Amino acid sequence: MSAHFLRPPLLSEPIFSGLKQRKMAARVHTSTTTPLSFDPNRAEPDDPVYDYAKLCRPSSRDPVSSAPISPNLPKPARTLTAVDGADRNGDFNVWLRMKEEARSDGEQEPVLSDYYFTSILSHDSLESSLANHLSVKLSNSSLPIGTLYDLFLGLLAGDREIIGAVEDDLKAVKERDPACLSFVHCFLNFKGFLACQAHRVAHKLWLQGRKTLALVLQNRVSEVLAVDIHPGARIGRGILLDHATGVVVGETAVIGDNVSILHNVTLGGTGKSGGDRHPKIGDGVLIGAGTCVLGNVGIGDGAKIGAGSVVLKAVPPRTTAVGNPARLVGGKENPIRLYNIPGLTMDHTSHISDWSDYVI
């Protein structure tokens, strides 16, 4: 092993941290037993939003932080094989791929080798690495690195549903964002990805009744990453928060699978009334930058919302809504139907001639 991979101190650690805390944050996880990882009594309503038969769905769902759009889908096992680094479905092992990328990046940029070792290569699992990286990002004088590391690891360790969602999010960013160089690049540097994973932890705390701590984490993510997702919101898997700055998601919002959301998007309420008051976003939806979706309205599976739109009413599946207030492309009576999945294709401009006379 190169001398550059000698173990360094943890990056960005507060100067007041003691030696014991320093060791806690950077250590390699070896045990899954922790008082923080108790199982909550979780119950999900049987509340499908829309049916989009052609949508490409992940192999399993996340009962902790995903929208129950199709609760009856089968859940095939995601058993990993150490020989080829693939699961039983033939998919590659994201964690092994990340470690390969980290070694390669460290060799190409020796100045980053210590950072890659501390963040990736010194850990024996994705959950340990993620717990460490989030604790470094979100720590402050009130939430020391070691305390956050134990909290995050206790909630992530052994939870294959959350870790499976993390892997699907990594794949989503790599496949849909041409600016993403690698999985490890996304894992370390993309704040939309990190905000989504921090939300998964906060949501699990919320479901366990630990709402005060969940809200504190929400506040730290908002301060550090400029993404404000209420821990009560339910988010699916295969999520891309592209750029992510200014994204706001309310308490009773639901976001399905394979959804792509750009920066400055608000999924909010319409006033100070309580109850179920936030949008329900179906699978495969694309929401353009600067969009506001307000109130308890449904955005159908495979729909697309144009940048800068203000949506106050339900949008049918596989249609496009644009403008302020938003209108359906093709008209309400005969809207143009989409046959691709915009949340996957990231196509923002199809059918532009059908709704705009914009010229330069």
Side-chain angles (χ1 to χ4, degrees), residues 172-183:
V173 177
K174 183 65 173 63
E175 292 170 359
R176 300 176 213 165
D177 188 350
C180 182
L181 301 177
S182 63
F183 292 106

Side-chain angles (χ1 to χ4, degrees), residues 76-218:
R78 297 176 62 91
T79 304
L80 298 176
T81 61
V83 176
D84 57 7
D87 64 21
R88 291 175 58 182
N89 298 317
D91 295 332
F92 59 85
N93 185 333
V94 172
W95 172 240
L96 294 182
R97 180 71 63 85
M98 283 176 55
K99 297 190 82 167
E100 293 174 2
E101 294 171 348
R103 292 188 187 96
S104 176
D105 288 352
E107 292 172 358
Q108 294 178 24
E109 291 290 351
V111 69
L112 295 176
S113 61
D114 289 349
Y115 177 48
Y116 278 95
F117 180 82
T118 304
S119 301
I120 305 291
L121 297 173
S122 65
H123 299 272
D124 63 358
S125 66
L126 178 59
E127 49 265 42
S128 175
S129 180
L130 180 60
N132 179 74
H133 193 47
L134 288 176
S135 68
V136 171
K137 290 285 187 181
L138 301 179
S139 63
N140 63 9
S141 59
S142 301
L143 297 170
I145 293 177
T147 300
L148 285 180
Y149 176 83
D150 285 345
L151 173 66
F152 292 147
L153 187 59
L155 293 166
L156 294 172
D159 194 327
R160 285 304 304 169
E161 295 295 336
I162 290 184
I163 296 302
V166 173
E167 293 171 348
D168 286 341
D169 292 348
L170 282 166
K171 293 176 183 178
V173 177
K174 183 65 173 63
E175 292 170 359
R176 300 176 213 165
D177 188 350
C180 182
L181 301 177
S182 63
F183 292 106
V184 75
H185 178 219
C186 169
F187 182 88
L188 294 176
N189 302 318
F190 279 40
K191 68 178 184 179
F193 167 80
L194 293 173
C196 189
Q197 310 327 311
H199 167 76
R200 296 190 189 283
V201 174
H203 183 67
K204 188 169 184 178
L205 289 169
W206 185 266
L207 293 179
Q208 291 176 347
R210 305 170 73 180
K211 295 186 176 182
T212 301
L213 182 54
L215 290 168
V216 169
L217 286 180
Q218 174 200 359

